[in-house]
Amino acid sequence: TVIDGDTIRTDKNQSIRFIGINTPEINHKGGRSDPYSQKARKALVNLLKKYNNRVQLIYGQEKKDRYHRLLAHVFVNHSINVSADLLKQGLAIQISIPPNLRFNSCYRHLEKQAKSANLNLWRTKRFQVFKTSDLKKSLKGFYLVEGKVKKVIKNNRAIWITLNNNFIIKIKNKYFHYFDQQELLTLKGQIIQAKGWIYHRNNKSRMNIKHPDAIKYKKL
C-alpha cells in the first residue's frame, strides 16, 4: 500500500519510510493537503506497479524512526532508486538525517537539478522560501525559511540560532560534529536559509536542524 510519496506499507503490514526525501504532505483526515502530494503518491504507485509492487531495501544505519517505521532506501528492478526518481521529477525534497546519510550527495544533486528546472512542486508558492518575518505563528509542517540572524548561543546541550520574528533554529549537541561550529557562531547579522519541520514551543516558531545540508549561508 502506498501511504504517500515517501511512505509505503508492505504485505506484512510493516511501514517503510524512505530515507533522504520528504514529499508533499497528504492530509489523511480530509483537510487541506500540500500541492503535488497526490501527484507524488500517484508517481510512486505507478512506478511500483510497473515492477509488480516488488521492492528491494537498503536499511539505514538507524533502522527505525520514532513512529516505529522502518527506514530504508527503496529500489525497484534492483537498480532504480525510488527516492532518486521522485527527486528527479521535482516531486520530493532532499533531507539529510544522520546517521542515515548514504546517497545524500546524489539526492542533493538531483534536488538542485529539479529546482533549477522549476519542476512540479518547485513552481508552487508552498515550496518557495518563506521569510521568517512573514511567517504566521500558527504555521507548522515542512518549510523552507529565510531570515536574518539576530543572535547565536551555544552551550553543552545545543546551538540556538535566533532569526528575526523570534524564529529559533536548534542544533542538538549530538549533531555538532557534522557542522563547522565556529562558523555558526559568527553568523550574527547574516541572512540564512533553512529547511525542516516547524514546530512551536513557548510561543515561538522553531526548527531542529541535524545536518549542514539543511542550512545555507554565505561563508565569510
Side-chain angles (χ1 to χ4, degrees):
T1 306
V2 174
I3 309 300
D4 55 28
D6 55 38
T7 311
I8 58 175
R9 189 174 291 124
T10 68
D11 54 2
K12 293 177 182 173
N13 205 32
Q14 178 64 65
S15 289
I16 297 168
R17 173 67 165 84
F18 297 2
I19 293 171
I21 64 167
N22 189 56
T23 58
E25 203 66 37
I26 294 174
N27 189 323
H28 293 287
K29 294 175 182 175
R32 181 180 292 180
S33 296
D34 285 337
Y36 287 93
S37 57
Q38 292 294 349
K39 187 167 181 178
R41 183 182 180 279
K42 185 70 176 167
L44 179 55
V45 167
N46 290 341
L47 181 61
L48 296 179
K49 196 181 284 183
K50 188 175 174 183
Y51 296 100
N52 300 314
N53 293 315
R54 296 189 66 81
V55 298
Q56 297 80 46
L57 305 175
I58 296 178
Y59 293 111
Q61 194 176 324
E62 189 171 85
K63 202 173 174 182
K64 287 189 176 182
D65 68 8
R66 59 189 175 129
Y67 304 111
H68 308 292
R69 298 177 298 187
L70 285 171
L71 298 171
H73 299 278
V74 179
F75 290 78
V76 289
N77 201 32
H78 298 282
S79 61
I80 299 168
N81 183 319
V82 176
S83 293
D85 191 74
L86 291 167
L87 284 163
K88 212 180 289 182
Q89 295 180 65
L91 293 172
I93 297 171
Q94 181 265 339
I95 55 171
S96 294
I97 300 178
N100 296 342
L101 299 174
R102 189 171 182 174
F103 306 129
N104 74 318
S105 57
C106 166
Y107 292 163
R108 194 168 58 238
H109 175 69
L110 291 171
E111 179 196 80
K112 190 177 178 182
Q113 283 187 324
K115 205 171 180 178
S116 297
N118 209 28
L119 295 178
N120 288 317
L121 65 80
W122 296 114
R123 65 171 73 113
T124 70
K125 186 181 176 185
R126 169 67 180 81
F127 294 103
Q128 298 307 306
V129 178
F130 286 73
K131 294 191 183 300
T132 56
S133 53
D134 299 334
L135 290 180
K136 294 178 182 175
K137 290 291 185 185
S138 59
L139 200 67
K140 287 193 297 186
F142 191 92
Y143 281 87
L144 289 79
V145 300
E146 178 182 279
K148 187 172 186 177
V149 179
K150 297 298 185 185
K151 63 180 176 182
V152 184
I153 296 171
K154 178 188 174 185
N155 63 23
N156 60 1
R157 290 189 298 118
I159 292 173
W160 285 270
I161 303 169
T162 303
L163 308 183
N164 42 359
N165 205 17
N166 276 325
F167 189 98
I168 296 172
I169 292 171
K170 180 182 178 183
I171 302 167
K172 290 181 182 176
N173 59 4
K174 69 176 179 177
Y175 303 115
F176 279 179
H177 65 284
Y178 292 105
F179 293 84
D180 183 331
Q181 294 172 59
Q182 289 309 310
E183 204 166 70
L184 292 174
L185 294 172
T186 64
L187 287 178
K188 185 177 177 180
Q190 287 199 55
I191 304 290
I192 68 171
Q193 287 184 9
K195 62 179 174 181
W197 285 269
I198 296 175
Y199 68 101
H200 302 278
R201 186 167 294 163
N202 300 331
N203 204 30
K204 290 178 181 174
S205 298
R206 298 168 182 249
M207 181 182 285
N208 288 332
I209 295 295
K210 301 176 180 179
H211 189 273
D213 280 355
I215 189 167
K216 277 190 201 169
Y217 51 87
K218 191 175 180 182
K219 293 187 179 179
L220 296 174

